[in-house]
Amino acid sequence: MTFDVDRIRKDFPAVGEGIAYFDGPGGTQVPRQVAEAIARTMTSGISNRGTVTASERRAEDVVAGARQAVADLLGCDPGGVVFGRSMSQLTYDVSRALAKEWGPDDEVVVTRLDHDGNIRPWVHAAEAARARVRWLGFDRETAELGVDDIRAELSPRTKLVAVTGASNVLGTRPDITAIAEAVHEVGTLLYVDGVHLTPHAPVDVAALGADFYACSPYKFFGPHHGVVVAARELLERIQPDKLLPASDEVPERFELGTLPYELLAGTTAAIDYIAGLASDAGDRRTRVLESMRAVEEYEDALFERLLEGLRAIDGVTLYGNPARRTPTAFFSVAGRENREVYEHLAAAGVNAPASSFYAIEASRWLGLGDGGAVRAGLAPYTSADDVERLLAGVAEVAK
Ligand SMILES: Cc1ncc(COP(=O)(O)O)c(C=O)c1O
């Protein structure tokens, strides 16, 4: 089965309305199948989790189904899948739980390439524990993050390294496997922000070597909540704050309050949808991997055209040029405020916002202050025509 963008676009009611959506890195559009699964869960008789009534068992099944779906998406143990409100909230929770064991002699490493969701929780946790934060920059020309630079920050004092699987503005995909090797050599933990990587590449958490891997289903066709996964044995060693009557089991003890069952059903539907993007044979994990390889190939080819087109427009500055990247362009136009470009494109039905997109350290590091630049990100529903519309809009505003 091949990747057929026309077929895919028909599943997205919003895409049919004529807008070219390049704001997927902020949250993708949603296919009908996901919205229907959410509605079905809310109208089919659902109670709080339990084992006596059918509606209680339905809630149990929804949770178990979503853990298995995430395991199939990321190649991890369903027993190590933790759900929460957002990646940011989960990362704060994990950081505070881990920092209970940190002290003034300890260090954490964060990078300026990361979204603030994988920086500030660690900075705040380190502050509370009086531990030291070591900051890592990236190459301002290429936007590459050097493995050796990370290695240079490591020591027996390092408690954790937080690094992104892919930059949500520059697209850089650091070599996580090599970073994990370096991190594990000093016997410490690696927390990978997979929010921007997961929608664009096949992911195998074990092969990456991530001890924690966080992602957000709303970036890959699902509803708004967050996920963090880790090996069960690792989660067993961590004691988060929790309510007294709440389960002390793993992963439940990390999940504060009642889970959003309808959203979890939506996430299962989103992963089923991904599995069917370009594959119809084999188990769900196999289909996910095959489909995500096809997504990567499709997006890479389209992104080549986008980059080539942007480079050909006088006055456009593109930030970063990493060798391995997601299809995400970050750019500005000479003589124009980023906001003007954003508004001009919006008036032409092209959604490509301007911001730092919470990668505020990266924006500052690049000399862009807190304002960032214009971002255009591809999604599996992006068509070649969408790309031409974006390029025409940028060319017009650059005149
Ligand atoms: C790379 C990256 N990390 C983390 C986040 C934060 O995710 P959430 O909204 O689930 O907290 C985002 C959201 O834009 C992101 O792009």
Side-chain angles (χ1 to χ4, degrees):
M1 189 175 159
T2 53
F3 184 93
D4 177 354
V5 70
D6 294 331
R7 172 179 61 82
I8 290 164
R9 285 171 70 84
K10 291 200 184 89
D11 289 329
F12 290 79
V15 168
E17 289 167 4
I19 301 291
Y21 291 98
F22 289 92
D23 48 4
T28 59
Q29 300 307 308
V30 174
R32 189 172 29 80
Q33 293 86 333
V34 170
E36 285 170 3
I38 294 171
R40 224 176 15 252
T41 307
M42 298 195 85
T43 52
S44 61
I46 191 148
S47 302
N48 215 332
R49 289 169 74 179
T51 51
V52 176
T53 70
S55 52
E56 288 170 351
R57 289 195 297 272
R58 188 167 290 125
E60 289 290 350
D61 289 349
V62 164
V63 175
R67 292 202 209 285
Q68 186 57 57
V70 170
D72 289 343
L73 179 70
L74 304 178
C76 64
D77 172 3
V81 174
V82 179
F83 293 117
R85 191 171 64 75
S86 62
M87 176 277 179
S88 302
Q89 176 252 309
L90 285 166
T91 306
Y92 262 111
D93 287 352
V94 172
S95 69
R96 287 183 180 130
L98 288 174
K100 289 180 187 177
E101 313 277 311
W102 299 350
D105 291 335
D106 295 326
E107 297 182 351
V108 291
V109 179
V110 295
T111 93
R112 296 191 193 277
L113 189 64
D114 272 80
H115 182 284
D116 217 50
N118 200 29
I119 297 177
R120 219 54 53 186
W122 305 112
V123 170
H124 290 156
E127 272 169 14
R130 306 228 205 126
R132 180 170 170 203
V133 179
R134 296 185 81 103
W135 289 86
L136 200 69
F138 57 89
D139 187 296
R140 288 188 175 86
E141 283 303 307
T142 62
E144 299 282 6
L145 187 74
V147 179
D148 288 339
D149 296 337
I150 293 192
R151 202 186 305 273
E153 299 296 330
L154 301 174
S155 78
R157 289 184 299 278
T158 317
K159 285 291 175 190
L160 181 131
V161 175
V163 67
T164 192
S167 156
N168 63 316
V169 287
L170 297 156
T172 313
R173 288 174 56 178
D175 187 345
I176 297 294
T177 309
I179 292 169
E181 263 170 37
V183 168
H184 293 151
E185 261 168 41
V186 296
T188 194
L189 294 171
L190 178 63
Y191 192 100
V192 174
D193 173 358
V195 173
H196 186 65
L197 177 65
T198 311
H200 298 294
V203 173
D204 185 330
V205 171
L208 286 174
D211 296 296
F212 296 92
Y213 185 95
C215 63
S216 305
Y218 72 96
K219 309 285 192 182
F220 51 84
F221 312 142
H224 292 82
H225 72 94
V227 179
V228 64
V229 308
R232 277 187 69 94
E233 308 75 66
L234 175 56
L235 294 179
E236 300 279 5
R237 298 208 301 269
I238 304 168
Q239 272 302 339
D241 291 332
K242 63 170 251 329
L243 304 185
L244 190 60
S247 169
D248 199 33
E249 296 292 303
V250 164
E252 275 82 2
R253 73 171 175 230
F254 290 87
E255 297 173 324
L256 300 178
T258 307
L259 286 171
Y261 306 128
E262 63 281 5
L263 304 188
L264 299 191
T267 290
T268 302
I271 295 167
D272 282 335
Y273 186 77
I274 288 171
L277 277 174
S279 175
D280 53 11
D283 60 19
R284 186 167 52 194
R285 174 71 180 151
T286 308
R287 285 181 287 120
V288 160
L289 290 176
E290 190 180 337
S291 289
M292 287 310 297
R293 277 193 287 270
V295 165
E296 208 175 15
E297 200 177 308
Y298 173 76
E299 291 185 341
D300 280 354
L302 205 54
F303 192 56
E304 273 307 303
R305 167 64 194 137
L306 176 61
L307 283 184
E308 172 202 64
L310 286 175
R311 286 189 186 118
I313 300 170
D314 272 349
V316 168
T317 301
L318 269 162
Y319 300 102
N321 188 22
R324 282 176 78 230
R325 68 190 298 177
T326 61
T328 313
F330 201 46
F331 64 96
S332 56
V333 176
R336 297 288 190 179
E337 295 291 333
N338 293 321
R339 173 109 193 159
E340 273 183 86
V341 180
Y342 172 13
E343 287 176 353
H344 179 88
L345 291 170
V350 176
N351 288 12
S355 172
S356 75
F357 304 98
Y358 279 38
I360 195 160
E361 297 292 343
S363 180
R364 290 176 181 169
W365 186 247
L366 289 170
L368 300 172
D370 292 354
V374 183
R375 178 175 70 180
L378 304 188
Y381 49 69
T382 310
S383 67
D385 182 55
D386 288 342
V387 170
E388 296 311 319
R389 283 173 65 191
L390 172 79
L391 293 173
V394 176
E396 236 171 58
V397 78
K399 265 189 209 147

